[in-house]
Amino acid sequence: MYELTISLDPRAKSPLYEQIYGYIKQEIQSGRIRSGDRLPSTRALCRHLDVSRSTVELAYEQLLSEGYVEAVPYRGYFVAQLEGLCHLDSGRSEILHEQRKISEKKYEYDFTPNGVDLKSFPYNTWRRLSRECLSDDRAELFRLGDPQGEYGLRNAICSYLHQARGVKCRPDQVIVGAGSDYLLMLLIMIIGNRHKVALENPTYRQAYRLFENLSCEVCTVDMDKKGMMVDQLTASGADIAFVMPSHQYPLGIVMPIRRRLELLNWAYEKENRYIIEDDYDSEFRYKGKPIPALQGYDSIGKVIYKGTFSKSIAPAIRLGYMVLPDPLLEEYRRKCFYLSSTVSRVDQLILRKFIEEGFFERHLNKTRALYKGRHDMLLSCLKEMDAEFSVSGENAGVHLLLHFNEGISEEELIRQAAEEGVKVYGLSEYFVEEDRRKKEKGAVILLGYANMGEDKIKEAVHRLEKAWGQNRKQKD
């Protein structure tokens, strides 16, 4: 393992993670750190530099995104093969860009669990509504609007949430913002950062990083087949619980009513306890009716409900919403009255028309049918595979999980799939603590199907059978 001697300057203009990233990048380019060298773990480096672990993770993620290092599950971070490129002083970024393009080409099929089918986006409808919104000279659309979002859109969101999700709210409780990240940051401004936030384990790591970087104390709570374990939540000492009860990411668990009520009872026990309900993809359910939101069962205002249009329409719209209980609404008005809306009034008006004129519902119905076809095709192909695994999380969302027996590692399954041109994803990446990852028995692989057509799914699974079938032959 290569030992790093980095001198950080807290007074410098560049953030600490950029200083770490810049140092390692320069060492790689100069050849002092060679291809194949193992970098210190994030835990070891943060202790060595006396910085938060999230700071080191941000530096490593930037190096990963630029192709300087590679992450190997259960082993750590290694310098990528860059011989012949590292010593060039000019054109380096173009060369690395080409290298990444070559690297991406080997994956003919990508089972990303974060995919969205953009081919089904209603371009003609969106274009027409945009023209209608801008057909007249409406100067007010280009002035700063309501900080919470335009009333008409908030009213449309309320109507949709009541009808589709059983959420009880008024337009004045809704805050519209530019994506989930912004809304979580705004929420911490409202409630303060002197809280201990508990997230499910494994979890949505972006939320974990946000809470940690906003100086909240953060922990994870284990799950059983019903969701977050309330007894462990109580023992953790947390007063905020971040949960995804309608379709937990990444495990796909749907929290049953008894566990939801137990979670509400936990919140009711103390005045300063709250539940953040992230309802990120509840629109997509393939068995029975959509499960009503946890917020609908809350009688005294303990649930902060958060949703987004990123999965249901398109990620680039960058429009999410948050429903605040009345006590927190007062805090919002007291602490955040000076903030402006982060979403264009034009975009808000387009989305309002899209919802009120029935286009959103029609688009959801079309997308559900599309995903249902891909969901069924994937399950059908998996049943025919000559490999030993079980399937979970298949009743909702746009991904499912394959659970393999002990004897083969997640790293090996990912490598074998890559050799056949198929990119798959391991569950271990969603555990925050490294020791928790190692306790998992058997490898678990995530397969997303939103951005793959049925023919591609069929061919991709055929390649996975070629890749993973050899494991059974070796066992036999």
Side-chain angles (χ1 to χ4, degrees):
M1 181 173 69
Y2 191 90
E3 295 292 333
L4 299 177
T5 55
I6 306 174
S7 178
L8 300 179
D9 183 5
R11 295 170 296 180
K13 292 183 178 180
S14 58
L16 293 179
Y17 87 89
E18 284 190 7
Q19 296 180 44
I20 299 170
Y21 150 78
Y23 173 88
I24 298 175
K25 178 180 175 181
Q26 187 176 27
E27 292 290 284
I28 294 173
Q29 290 175 348
S30 66
R32 286 187 288 270
I33 303 181
R34 298 182 179 181
S35 298
D37 282 350
R38 182 184 176 186
L39 298 179
S41 68
T42 56
R43 188 186 300 274
L45 188 56
C46 75
R47 285 199 300 261
H48 174 66
L49 298 176
D50 195 23
V51 297
S52 71
R53 192 172 177 188
S54 60
T55 298
V56 177
E57 286 181 340
L58 283 172
Y60 277 19
E61 285 174 6
Q62 185 63 30
L63 291 164
L64 276 169
S65 66
E66 294 188 16
Y68 285 100
V69 302
E70 297 172 346
V72 180
Y74 304 113
R75 294 186 61 199
Y77 295 88
F78 294 82
V79 177
Q81 297 295 324
L82 300 174
E83 282 83 3
L85 300 178
C86 296
H87 302 290
L88 296 177
D89 292 327
S90 62
R92 185 183 297 112
S93 60
E94 288 81 6
I95 292 172
L96 290 174
H97 177 67
E98 288 302 315
Q99 185 196 37
R100 288 197 298 272
K101 285 172 63 178
I102 293 171
S103 176
E104 290 169 0
K105 285 181 182 177
K106 70 178 181 181
Y107 293 111
E108 297 177 54
Y109 305 96
D110 187 351
F111 279 107
T112 173
N114 298 315
V116 174
D117 185 86
L118 295 179
K119 293 181 180 178
S120 64
F121 182 81
Y123 292 99
N124 291 334
T125 299
W126 201 266
R127 192 179 297 116
R128 180 171 63 79
L129 293 176
S130 301
R131 285 198 300 266
E132 289 179 5
C133 292
L134 297 172
S135 60
D136 300 323
D137 293 336
R138 303 174 64 178
E140 70 274 8
L141 284 179
F142 297 94
R143 296 191 177 97
L144 288 176
D146 192 315
Q148 285 187 230
E150 297 306 295
Y151 182 87
L153 175 59
R154 289 187 281 125
N155 188 58
I157 290 173
C158 277
S159 298
Y160 165 72
L161 291 179
H162 177 71
Q163 175 188 356
R165 305 295 302 121
V167 171
K168 298 178 293 186
C169 64
R170 308 179 307 273
D172 63 297
Q173 292 178 268
V174 177
I175 299 176
V176 173
S180 296
D181 296 346
Y182 166 78
L183 290 171
L184 284 180
M185 289 188 285
L186 181 65
L187 179 60
I188 296 303
M189 286 185 64
I190 298 168
I191 64 176
N193 59 4
R194 295 181 180 178
H195 291 275
K196 186 171 185 180
V197 183
L199 294 93
E200 298 151 324
N201 182 53
T203 191
Y204 175 49
R205 295 196 69 181
Q206 180 75 350
Y208 186 96
R209 293 188 190 101
L210 276 169
F211 289 125
E212 189 176 44
N213 285 328
L214 292 169
S215 300
C216 294
E217 187 179 356
V218 192
C219 68
T220 57
V221 173
D222 288 336
M223 303 175 66
D224 58 18
K225 294 181 180 180
K226 298 178 181 179
M228 180 181 277
M229 300 171 69
V230 179
D231 57 344
Q232 288 195 21
L233 173 62
T234 303
S236 73
D239 51 12
I240 302 288
F242 182 95
V243 295
M244 295 165 273
S246 295
H247 185 240
Q248 198 273 342
Y249 188 83
L251 293 182
I253 292 172
V254 178
M255 187 181 290
I257 182 63
R258 181 177 178 83
R259 181 61 54 86
R260 293 176 185 230
L261 296 178
E262 290 173 353
L263 198 57
L264 283 173
N265 285 337
W266 168 85
Y268 292 169
E269 287 173 359
K270 292 189 178 181
E271 184 178 354
N272 65 336
R273 286 180 177 174
Y274 286 97
I275 300 166
I276 302 173
E277 178 179 12
D278 189 350
D279 207 15
Y280 70 101
D281 73 347
S282 58
E283 291 88 359
F284 306 114
R285 181 165 175 81
Y286 312 112
K287 186 177 181 181
K289 295 181 179 181
I291 306 298
L294 172 64
Q295 194 267 6
Y297 299 103
D298 179 20
S299 60
I300 63 174
K302 286 289 188 174
V303 177
I304 303 158
Y305 181 86
K306 192 170 73 69
T308 177
F309 292 100
S310 293
K311 286 283 188 183
S312 56
I313 302 180
I317 288 178
R318 305 306 305 147
L319 204 153
Y321 50 88
M322 181 166 61
V323 179
L324 292 177
D326 283 322
L328 294 184
L329 185 59
E330 293 301 318
E331 286 296 296
Y332 165 77
R333 289 169 177 160
R334 186 173 67 85
K335 295 180 178 179
C336 306
F337 65 91
Y338 59 91
L339 295 176
S340 300
S341 175
T342 55
V343 181
S344 158
R345 295 182 75 184
V346 176
D347 291 339
Q348 292 187 58
L349 181 57
I350 295 170
L351 183 57
R352 172 189 170 183
K353 286 177 170 286
F354 190 69
I355 297 173
E356 290 181 341
E357 296 180 19
F359 296 112
F360 182 49
E361 184 178 359
R362 288 198 285 273
H363 173 66
L364 280 180
N365 290 336
K366 177 183 175 182
T367 309
R368 281 194 198 101
L370 189 70
Y371 290 167
K372 177 67 163 58
R374 295 173 184 181
H375 162 273
D376 293 349
M377 174 60 74
L378 179 56
L379 284 177
S380 175
C381 292
L382 289 173
K383 286 180 181 178
E384 298 175 2
M385 272 186 65
D386 186 22
E388 294 183 354
F389 57 80
S390 59
V391 178
S392 71
E394 73 276 20
N395 293 332
V398 290
H399 78 275
L400 50 78
L401 298 91
L402 306 183
H403 301 258
F404 290 80
N405 297 326
E406 294 185 62
I408 184 166
S409 69
E410 179 184 290
E411 175 188 359
E412 183 63 14
L413 290 167
I414 293 172
R415 185 193 65 77
Q416 291 173 348
E419 289 180 353
E420 293 294 331
V422 183
K423 189 169 186 178
V424 297
Y425 299 79
L427 179 65
S428 65
E429 295 304 313
Y430 298 91
F431 287 92
V432 177
E433 295 96 352
E434 291 180 7
D435 57 336
R436 294 282 183 93
R437 303 182 195 188
K438 295 176 182 177
K439 289 181 181 178
E440 285 297 298
K441 295 181 179 180
V444 182
I445 297 295
L446 279 72
L447 298 182
Y449 46 85
N451 62 348
M452 292 179 66
E454 292 183 27
D455 290 340
K456 284 193 172 184
I457 289 174
K458 191 173 183 179
E459 175 58 30
V461 174
H462 176 67
R463 294 198 183 193
L464 289 180
E465 184 173 19
K466 289 174 59 180
W468 295 340
Q470 56 185 307
N471 300 320
R472 185 167 186 173
K473 293 177 183 178
Q474 292 172 1
K475 185 177 179 181
D476 294 340

